[in-house]
Amino acid sequence: MDDHKDTNENPPREEDQQDDSSHQHGHGESDEAVVESDEQRVEQELLEEEAHPTAEGEAALHEQHEHAGDEGEGHGHGSHEGHGEGHGGMHEGHEQMFRRRFFVSTLLSIPVLLYSEMLQEWLGFSVPAFPGSEWINPVFAIIVFAYGGIPFLQMAVPELKDRSPGMMTLISMAITVAFVYSLASVVFPTQSAFFWELVTLIDIMLLGHWIEMRSVRRASSAVDELAKLMPDTAERITDDGDTEDVPVSELSEGDLVLIRPGASVPADGIVEEGDSDVEEAMITGESKPVSKEPGDEVIGGTINGDGSLRVRVGATGEETTLAGIMRLVEEAQQSKSKTQVLADRAAGWLFYVALAAAVVTAIAWTIAVSFNATVIERVVTVLVIACPHALGLAIPLVVAINTSLAARNGMLVRDRIAMEDARNLDAIIFDKTGTLTEGEHGVVDMATVNGVDEDDALALAAAVESDSEHMIARAIREAANERNLTSPDASGFEAIKGRGVCANVNGDEVYVGGPNLLTQLDSEVPDHLQRFADEAGQNAQTVVYLVRGGELIAAFAMADVIREESYAVVDALHDLDIEVAMLTGDSQDVADAVADELGIDTVFAEVLPGDKDKKVQELQDEGKLVGMVGDGVNDAPALTRADVGIAIGSGTDVAVQSADVILVQNNPMDVVRLVKLSKASYRKMQENIVWAAGYNVFAIPLAAGVLAPIGILLSPAVGALLMSLSTVIVAINAQLLRRVDLSLPDLPGRTPSTEAQPTD
């Protein structure tokens, strides 16, 4: 704002405008140079981050927070504005960089392929020659190497410094040897050059990296979504009783703020005046609004209900509960260890195998025929063949198909490492509210006195509750609608604060309410209804009574309704030998009742927001690979801490942004599909690695000349052909992943699940 103000108050002088105009052309050229320089700098930074993903990611995170802190002045939203760009933009930058380099390099490779004598001979075509056409291959190959190949050399440097050669080292070795040998063949003519093999190898590796970056790119930051929960302004009450709108960042401990109905609570504090129900599910996990009255605590970021509250601020900024959750999310993100990709491990072994084979080849051929051009050609052939195109595509192709197949079956994969880890999960923790349950109260049981039909009692209760918007009223009306009941007309609706509601139905005064209503009406409870209420209480269910004409005629048990799919998902995970746990902020009685109903193995109840990720850590400390399924803001640290975080798609944005996999169809049964797809995908990755590395096991000895004594010697041309064949096989094998059966087994007593959807 200050920058805009300065600009408006101090317009440029006329002579400054003239000076700017006179230099406009020169500045335009300078700007173009600056833009080009900036693009190169950004690409260099991306390459460095690719080489050091963990360290650079943390540095970017730290830089974003420092920068935002300078501009945001502590404001909850502004202080995290740049974070999403730091992570989501980073992966998008990688994707765009490799995409651009792939297309440019492929275009520049076309002349090399057309003027390759070997390809002309194989494919039976020719292109016109002209003076200087013999320089097409070396010139364009040099350009492709400099533009598309140099990035791999830059990314190989950290691997060599860490003494852990991987894919980048293997690629760099192959393209460097091919490049140097091919240039030498121009000056010192040999039997063959590797120009076309060089450019196609670079193109394939760029394609593999592009596919890889596209499949792992993340949308934005979980911390950014958390910050959005806080309102921008608050209504502070002045000493004379008036209100003033102030930025949340200007609130101080001890300030008195007015929170209107439906508004967000701007900071943690204590209610001084007013009564209201506050929606705290996004913070505490409680499945119903929490009643607030003077003396009760409220949490910043929660949503006020229908009442008006005056709250004395007790904590602001970094001291609030929401800020603490944000710190937990960041810590959990940074605590994840770096997992080495399967292809990198294979590439590391191939690197050492290739070097050993090259040394043995050089020694053996020097002894056999003395040192000459043939020896050099054998060694170069071994080193170039050591890096098959297939290895660069073995994993990215499977990841891309895996991502597509998952999306068609209700799963959005945001982290490929987590998808791979899902196959080995030992335990899966489910949040209760909104995941295993509907997150809304419903009628789960009812009882009536003799002579009163259940349907009649439910229809009568629905009539009395027809004008109420309370969650219990909605549950009763929904239960009546599910039974297709027609409610009689009601009149004279009246809400009895803290007790229930009353209306006139068919000339009778009918009441619906809790135990406090019975005390007011002095109604006697029949023995069988008392037993019903006691049993409901043991199951942590709320009991609502129906009184007609002063006589208690029915009782309804209310509870957070268990989702039908939850029964099946627990049974299916048990069939896969996976432990099922439940995590909730609700009471122990409520949690135990749900766990007993579903057959859940482990229960974590009455868990505070700051302790949810600790429960995940407890299972991890037992040596278990843990998955977490949730939907609320309070689940975000646990989702991030878990080895595999799975968010219900209907949940809050922050839960989705914190997770590795999102169930976009909101079906917990997709957790089972996730495990099955993970197993199938990893198996396909292993098969592709075998095909790619198996080519080396076969080709490297032949290139070295093991069978030369019997007249079998692998030429560079045949080696290149085998390299291409290996790539085709890997691509076809990856496509077979689309045939994986993700349908779920029929479970006894349960409705069969919907059939899995194949990819296009």
Side-chain angles (χ1 to χ4, degrees), residues 402 405-406 408-411 419 422 569 572-573 576 661 663 665 667-681 740-745 752-757:
N402 167 292
L405 186 58
R408 287 295 302 273
N409 286 277
M411 297 168 282
M419 168 58 86
V569 71
L573 290 175
L576 294 171
V661 181
L663 306 183
Q665 295 178 354
N667 185 358
M669 273 306 271
D670 286 334
V671 175
V672 183
R673 287 196 176 101
L674 171 66
V675 175
K676 295 182 68 173
L677 180 59
S678 175
K679 292 178 181 291
S681 299
V740 63
D741 181 15
L742 294 181
S743 60
L744 300 172
S753 60
T754 305
E755 290 299 315
Q757 296 296 318

Tab-separated table of all heavy atoms in Angstrom, residues 402 405-406 408-411 419 422 569 572-573 576 661 663 665 667-681 740-745 752-757:
chain	number	residue	atom	x	y	z
A	402	ASN	N	0.255	-44.574	-13.803
A	402	ASN	CA	-0.259	-44.749	-12.449
A	402	ASN	C	-1.125	-43.563	-12.044
A	402	ASN	O	-2.228	-43.723	-11.503
A	402	ASN	CB	0.937	-44.916	-11.498
A	402	ASN	CG	0.559	-44.804	-10.035
A	402	ASN	OD1	0.182	-43.741	-9.567
A	402	ASN	ND2	0.699	-45.888	-9.309
A	405	LEU	N	-4.424	-43.599	-14.048
A	405	LEU	CA	-5.300	-44.683	-13.602
A	405	LEU	C	-5.898	-44.367	-12.236
A	405	LEU	O	-7.074	-44.623	-11.982
A	405	LEU	CB	-4.507	-45.993	-13.542
A	405	LEU	CG	-5.283	-47.276	-13.242
A	405	LEU	CD1	-6.368	-47.501	-14.274
A	405	LEU	CD2	-4.339	-48.466	-13.190
A	406	ALA	N	-5.087	-43.795	-11.364
A	406	ALA	CA	-5.579	-43.428	-10.039
A	406	ALA	C	-6.678	-42.374	-10.143
A	406	ALA	O	-7.704	-42.458	-9.457
A	406	ALA	CB	-4.429	-42.914	-9.177
A	408	ARG	N	-8.741	-41.788	-12.589
A	408	ARG	CA	-9.980	-42.368	-13.108
A	408	ARG	C	-10.717	-43.178	-12.049
A	408	ARG	O	-11.895	-43.484	-12.191
A	408	ARG	CB	-9.672	-43.255	-14.319
A	408	ARG	CG	-9.301	-42.492	-15.575
A	408	ARG	CD	-10.481	-41.670	-16.080
A	408	ARG	NE	-11.638	-42.500	-16.342
A	408	ARG	CZ	-11.882	-43.124	-17.489
A	408	ARG	NH1	-11.018	-42.999	-18.490
A	408	ARG	NH2	-12.951	-43.858	-17.661
A	409	ASN	N	-10.017	-43.557	-10.987
A	409	ASN	CA	-10.629	-44.350	-9.929
A	409	ASN	C	-10.742	-43.570	-8.618
A	409	ASN	O	-10.764	-44.149	-7.541
A	409	ASN	CB	-9.823	-45.639	-9.713
A	409	ASN	CG	-10.048	-46.644	-10.828
A	409	ASN	OD1	-11.016	-47.391	-10.828
A	409	ASN	ND2	-9.158	-46.653	-11.801
A	410	GLY	N	-10.793	-42.233	-8.737
A	410	GLY	CA	-11.095	-41.428	-7.570
A	410	GLY	C	-9.927	-41.075	-6.693
A	410	GLY	O	-10.122	-40.683	-5.542
A	411	MET	N	-8.684	-41.186	-7.208
A	411	MET	CA	-7.507	-40.866	-6.397
A	411	MET	C	-6.617	-39.896	-7.161
A	411	MET	O	-6.229	-40.171	-8.292
A	411	MET	CB	-6.716	-42.142	-6.076
A	411	MET	CG	-7.467	-43.155	-5.237
A	411	MET	SD	-6.626	-44.759	-5.182
A	411	MET	CE	-7.093	-45.436	-6.791
A	419	MET	N	2.982	-42.815	-3.076
A	419	MET	CA	2.254	-43.851	-3.808
A	419	MET	C	3.019	-45.169	-3.788
A	419	MET	O	2.449	-46.245	-3.595
A	419	MET	CB	2.002	-43.391	-5.243
A	419	MET	CG	1.504	-44.488	-6.173
A	419	MET	SD	-0.027	-45.288	-5.637
A	419	MET	CE	-1.233	-44.178	-6.342
A	422	ALA	N	2.796	-46.830	-0.317
A	422	ALA	CA	1.485	-47.336	0.099
A	422	ALA	C	1.413	-48.858	0.043
A	422	ALA	O	0.641	-49.470	0.781
A	422	ALA	CB	0.386	-46.729	-0.777
A	569	VAL	N	-14.412	-50.950	4.217
A	569	VAL	CA	-13.006	-50.589	4.114
A	569	VAL	C	-12.204	-51.208	5.252
A	569	VAL	O	-11.070	-51.667	5.055
A	569	VAL	CB	-12.831	-49.056	4.083
A	569	VAL	CG1	-13.126	-48.422	5.417
A	569	VAL	CG2	-11.426	-48.684	3.652
A	572	ALA	N	-11.793	-54.924	4.389
A	572	ALA	CA	-10.872	-55.121	3.269
A	572	ALA	C	-9.423	-54.897	3.690
A	572	ALA	O	-8.520	-55.629	3.268
A	572	ALA	CB	-11.242	-54.182	2.120
A	573	LEU	N	-9.173	-53.892	4.519
A	573	LEU	CA	-7.800	-53.639	4.978
A	573	LEU	C	-7.318	-54.760	5.884
A	573	LEU	O	-6.134	-55.122	5.857
A	573	LEU	CB	-7.730	-52.296	5.701
A	573	LEU	CG	-7.898	-51.060	4.805
A	573	LEU	CD1	-7.923	-49.790	5.638
A	573	LEU	CD2	-6.774	-50.991	3.763
A	576	LEU	N	-5.999	-57.436	3.892
A	576	LEU	CA	-4.658	-57.131	3.384
A	576	LEU	C	-3.614	-57.106	4.500
A	576	LEU	O	-2.477	-56.679	4.282
A	576	LEU	CB	-4.673	-55.765	2.675
A	576	LEU	CG	-5.495	-55.679	1.392
A	576	LEU	CD1	-5.595	-54.225	0.915
A	576	LEU	CD2	-4.893	-56.548	0.304
A	661	VAL	N	-2.063	-38.108	-1.274
A	661	VAL	CA	-3.104	-38.640	-2.162
A	661	VAL	C	-4.442	-38.072	-1.712
A	661	VAL	O	-4.727	-38.005	-0.518
A	661	VAL	CB	-3.144	-40.184	-2.117
A	661	VAL	CG1	-4.223	-40.714	-3.065
A	661	VAL	CG2	-1.791	-40.777	-2.464
A	663	LEU	N	-8.617	-38.425	-2.137
A	663	LEU	CA	-9.728	-39.254	-2.602
A	663	LEU	C	-10.816	-38.309	-3.103
A	663	LEU	O	-11.664	-37.844	-2.332
A	663	LEU	CB	-10.243	-40.144	-1.470
A	663	LEU	CG	-9.190	-41.007	-0.772
A	663	LEU	CD1	-9.839	-41.901	0.282
A	663	LEU	CD2	-8.422	-41.853	-1.786
A	665	GLN	N	-13.432	-38.668	-4.869
A	665	GLN	CA	-14.824	-39.107	-4.841
A	665	GLN	C	-15.333	-39.295	-3.409
A	665	GLN	O	-16.422	-39.807	-3.196
A	665	GLN	CB	-14.979	-40.406	-5.630
A	665	GLN	CG	-14.688	-40.228	-7.111
A	665	GLN	CD	-14.792	-41.520	-7.903
A	665	GLN	OE1	-14.979	-42.590	-7.327
A	665	GLN	NE2	-14.676	-41.425	-9.218
A	667	ASN	N	-14.709	-41.334	-1.116
A	667	ASN	CA	-15.040	-42.707	-0.759
A	667	ASN	C	-13.851	-43.347	-0.056
A	667	ASN	O	-12.818	-43.592	-0.677
A	667	ASN	CB	-15.398	-43.496	-2.021
A	667	ASN	CG	-15.863	-44.908	-1.691
A	667	ASN	OD1	-15.893	-45.319	-0.539
A	667	ASN	ND2	-16.234	-45.655	-2.719
A	668	PRO	N	-13.965	-43.653	1.248
A	668	PRO	CA	-12.837	-44.260	1.955
A	668	PRO	C	-12.443	-45.620	1.394
A	668	PRO	O	-11.320	-46.081	1.623
A	668	PRO	CB	-13.332	-44.363	3.407
A	668	PRO	CG	-14.817	-44.261	3.334
A	668	PRO	CD	-15.116	-43.410	2.149
A	669	MET	N	-13.329	-46.275	0.658
A	669	MET	CA	-12.966	-47.557	0.050
A	669	MET	C	-11.834	-47.392	-0.967
A	669	MET	O	-11.141	-48.347	-1.297
A	669	MET	CB	-14.187	-48.190	-0.635
A	669	MET	CG	-15.040	-49.043	0.291
A	669	MET	SD	-14.108	-50.326	1.137
A	669	MET	CE	-14.229	-51.667	-0.030
A	670	ASP	N	-11.645	-46.166	-1.468
A	670	ASP	CA	-10.560	-45.939	-2.409
A	670	ASP	C	-9.195	-46.095	-1.749
A	670	ASP	O	-8.181	-46.198	-2.435
A	670	ASP	CB	-10.683	-44.547	-3.037
A	670	ASP	CG	-11.812	-44.476	-4.050
A	670	ASP	OD1	-12.149	-45.524	-4.615
A	670	ASP	OD2	-12.364	-43.382	-4.252
A	671	VAL	N	-9.161	-46.121	-0.414
A	671	VAL	CA	-7.901	-46.396	0.280
A	671	VAL	C	-7.423	-47.805	-0.069
A	671	VAL	O	-6.229	-48.044	-0.253
A	671	VAL	CB	-8.079	-46.247	1.808
A	671	VAL	CG1	-6.807	-46.664	2.536
A	671	VAL	CG2	-8.451	-44.819	2.156
A	672	VAL	N	-8.361	-48.735	-0.169
A	672	VAL	CA	-8.004	-50.110	-0.534
A	672	VAL	C	-7.498	-50.157	-1.973
A	672	VAL	O	-6.506	-50.825	-2.281
A	672	VAL	CB	-9.217	-51.048	-0.355
A	672	VAL	CG1	-8.836	-52.491	-0.666
A	672	VAL	CG2	-9.763	-50.939	1.061
A	673	ARG	N	-8.174	-49.421	-2.856
A	673	ARG	CA	-7.713	-49.357	-4.244
A	673	ARG	C	-6.309	-48.746	-4.319
A	673	ARG	O	-5.492	-49.150	-5.151
A	673	ARG	CB	-8.681	-48.529	-5.091
A	673	ARG	CG	-9.998	-49.228	-5.381
A	673	ARG	CD	-10.735	-48.537	-6.527
A	673	ARG	NE	-11.946	-49.255	-6.864
A	673	ARG	CZ	-13.160	-48.909	-6.483
A	673	ARG	NH1	-13.315	-47.843	-5.728
A	673	ARG	NH2	-14.215	-49.605	-6.838
A	674	LEU	N	-6.048	-47.772	-3.465
A	674	LEU	CA	-4.734	-47.143	-3.444
A	674	LEU	C	-3.648	-48.173	-3.146
A	674	LEU	O	-2.606	-48.201	-3.813
A	674	LEU	CB	-4.719	-46.033	-2.390
A	674	LEU	CG	-3.354	-45.414	-2.081
A	674	LEU	CD1	-2.816	-44.667	-3.288
A	674	LEU	CD2	-3.444	-44.491	-0.870
A	675	VAL	N	-3.883	-49.007	-2.154
A	675	VAL	CA	-2.893	-50.027	-1.791
A	675	VAL	C	-2.693	-51.006	-2.942
A	675	VAL	O	-1.561	-51.366	-3.288
A	675	VAL	CB	-3.320	-50.755	-0.507
A	675	VAL	CG1	-2.350	-51.890	-0.190
A	675	VAL	CG2	-3.391	-49.781	0.662
A	676	LYS	N	-3.794	-51.425	-3.563
A	676	LYS	CA	-3.682	-52.382	-4.674
A	676	LYS	C	-2.949	-51.770	-5.862
A	676	LYS	O	-2.110	-52.423	-6.500
A	676	LYS	CB	-5.080	-52.856	-5.094
A	676	LYS	CG	-5.812	-53.663	-4.039
A	676	LYS	CD	-7.166	-54.153	-4.528
A	676	LYS	CE	-7.025	-55.197	-5.620
A	676	LYS	NZ	-8.319	-55.790	-5.991
A	677	LEU	N	-3.265	-50.508	-6.180
A	677	LEU	CA	-2.602	-49.845	-7.303
A	677	LEU	C	-1.123	-49.634	-7.002
A	677	LEU	O	-0.276	-49.758	-7.892
A	677	LEU	CB	-3.284	-48.506	-7.596
A	677	LEU	CG	-2.698	-47.688	-8.747
A	677	LEU	CD1	-2.734	-48.476	-10.049
A	677	LEU	CD2	-3.450	-46.365	-8.904
A	678	SER	N	-0.803	-49.328	-5.759
A	678	SER	CA	0.594	-49.143	-5.375
A	678	SER	C	1.380	-50.423	-5.577
A	678	SER	O	2.503	-50.402	-6.105
A	678	SER	CB	0.679	-48.696	-3.909
A	678	SER	OG	2.013	-48.626	-3.484
A	679	LYS	N	0.815	-51.530	-5.156
A	679	LYS	CA	1.493	-52.816	-5.336
A	679	LYS	C	1.708	-53.115	-6.819
A	679	LYS	O	2.802	-53.530	-7.237
A	679	LYS	CB	0.669	-53.939	-4.687
A	679	LYS	CG	0.614	-53.884	-3.165
A	679	LYS	CD	-0.261	-55.000	-2.617
A	679	LYS	CE	-0.347	-54.955	-1.093
A	679	LYS	NZ	0.949	-55.301	-0.456
A	680	ALA	N	0.672	-52.893	-7.625
A	680	ALA	CA	0.777	-53.182	-9.059
A	680	ALA	C	1.776	-52.251	-9.740
A	680	ALA	O	2.561	-52.685	-10.592
A	680	ALA	CB	-0.598	-53.046	-9.715
A	681	SER	N	1.770	-50.980	-9.375
A	681	SER	CA	2.673	-50.013	-9.999
A	681	SER	C	4.125	-50.312	-9.659
A	681	SER	O	4.998	-50.250	-10.520
A	681	SER	CB	2.312	-48.584	-9.556
A	681	SER	OG	1.007	-48.251	-9.952
A	740	VAL	N	-4.557	-53.423	-14.801
A	740	VAL	CA	-4.604	-53.883	-13.410
A	740	VAL	C	-6.040	-53.902	-12.904
A	740	VAL	O	-6.840	-53.009	-13.204
A	740	VAL	CB	-3.724	-52.987	-12.509
A	740	VAL	CG1	-4.242	-51.560	-12.480
A	740	VAL	CG2	-3.650	-53.548	-11.107
A	741	ASP	N	-6.387	-54.941	-12.152
A	741	ASP	CA	-7.738	-55.111	-11.625
A	741	ASP	C	-7.833	-54.405	-10.273
A	741	ASP	O	-7.263	-54.858	-9.280
A	741	ASP	CB	-8.040	-56.603	-11.467
A	741	ASP	CG	-9.450	-56.844	-10.942
A	741	ASP	OD1	-10.261	-55.897	-10.976
A	741	ASP	OD2	-9.726	-57.976	-10.495
A	742	LEU	N	-8.549	-53.286	-10.249
A	742	LEU	CA	-8.720	-52.534	-9.008
A	742	LEU	C	-10.089	-52.761	-8.375
A	742	LEU	O	-10.453	-52.066	-7.423
A	742	LEU	CB	-8.528	-51.034	-9.265
A	742	LEU	CG	-7.121	-50.596	-9.671
A	742	LEU	CD1	-7.080	-49.091	-9.872
A	742	LEU	CD2	-6.104	-51.021	-8.633
A	743	SER	N	-10.846	-53.724	-8.904
A	743	SER	CA	-12.141	-54.018	-8.293
A	743	SER	C	-11.908	-54.609	-6.913
A	743	SER	O	-10.893	-55.253	-6.652
A	743	SER	CB	-12.943	-54.982	-9.165
A	743	SER	OG	-12.235	-56.206	-9.327
A	744	LEU	N	-12.845	-54.367	-6.022
A	744	LEU	CA	-12.689	-54.805	-4.644
A	744	LEU	C	-13.425	-56.113	-4.420
A	744	LEU	O	-14.473	-56.363	-5.018
A	744	LEU	CB	-13.226	-53.729	-3.700
A	744	LEU	CG	-12.514	-52.380	-3.845
A	744	LEU	CD1	-13.226	-51.332	-3.015
A	744	LEU	CD2	-11.073	-52.502	-3.421
A	745	PRO	N	-12.918	-56.975	-3.531
A	745	PRO	CA	-13.576	-58.265	-3.282
A	745	PRO	C	-14.929	-58.076	-2.620
A	745	PRO	O	-15.143	-57.128	-1.857
A	745	PRO	CB	-12.587	-58.971	-2.341
A	745	PRO	CG	-11.854	-57.858	-1.659
A	745	PRO	CD	-11.734	-56.770	-2.686
A	752	PRO	N	-21.441	-55.173	-2.723
A	752	PRO	CA	-20.223	-55.102	-3.528
A	752	PRO	C	-19.938	-53.680	-3.956
A	752	PRO	O	-20.840	-52.905	-4.244
A	752	PRO	CB	-20.538	-56.008	-4.732
A	752	PRO	CG	-21.617	-56.925	-4.240
A	752	PRO	CD	-22.419	-56.115	-3.262
A	753	SER	N	-18.662	-53.334	-4.013
A	753	SER	CA	-18.259	-51.972	-4.361
A	753	SER	C	-18.401	-51.731	-5.849
A	753	SER	O	-18.512	-52.648	-6.648
A	753	SER	CB	-16.810	-51.727	-3.941
A	753	SER	OG	-15.971	-52.644	-4.598
A	754	THR	N	-18.384	-50.481	-6.205
A	754	THR	CA	-18.448	-50.090	-7.610
A	754	THR	C	-17.210	-50.577	-8.343
A	754	THR	O	-16.107	-50.548	-7.816
A	754	THR	CB	-18.548	-48.563	-7.728
A	754	THR	OG1	-19.667	-48.116	-6.967
A	754	THR	CG2	-18.709	-48.145	-9.172
A	755	GLU	N	-17.379	-51.015	-9.575
A	755	GLU	CA	-16.241	-51.500	-10.353
A	755	GLU	C	-15.244	-50.392	-10.614
A	755	GLU	O	-15.609	-49.242	-10.813
A	755	GLU	CB	-16.734	-52.071	-11.700
A	755	GLU	CG	-17.506	-53.373	-11.557
A	755	GLU	CD	-16.671	-54.478	-10.957
A	755	GLU	OE1	-15.512	-54.651	-11.373
A	755	GLU	OE2	-17.161	-55.169	-10.046
A	756	ALA	N	-13.986	-50.762	-10.625
A	756	ALA	CA	-12.932	-49.791	-10.891
A	756	ALA	C	-13.003	-49.337	-12.342
A	756	ALA	O	-13.431	-50.075	-13.226
A	756	ALA	CB	-11.571	-50.413	-10.601
A	757	GLN	N	-12.569	-48.122	-12.590
A	757	GLN	CA	-12.600	-47.554	-13.928
A	757	GLN	C	-11.223	-47.634	-14.574
A	757	GLN	O	-10.237	-47.229	-13.966
A	757	GLN	CB	-13.043	-46.098	-13.870
A	757	GLN	CG	-14.467	-45.916	-13.360
A	757	GLN	CD	-15.490	-46.529	-14.283
A	757	GLN	OE1	-15.388	-46.403	-15.502
A	757	GLN	NE2	-16.457	-47.212	-13.718
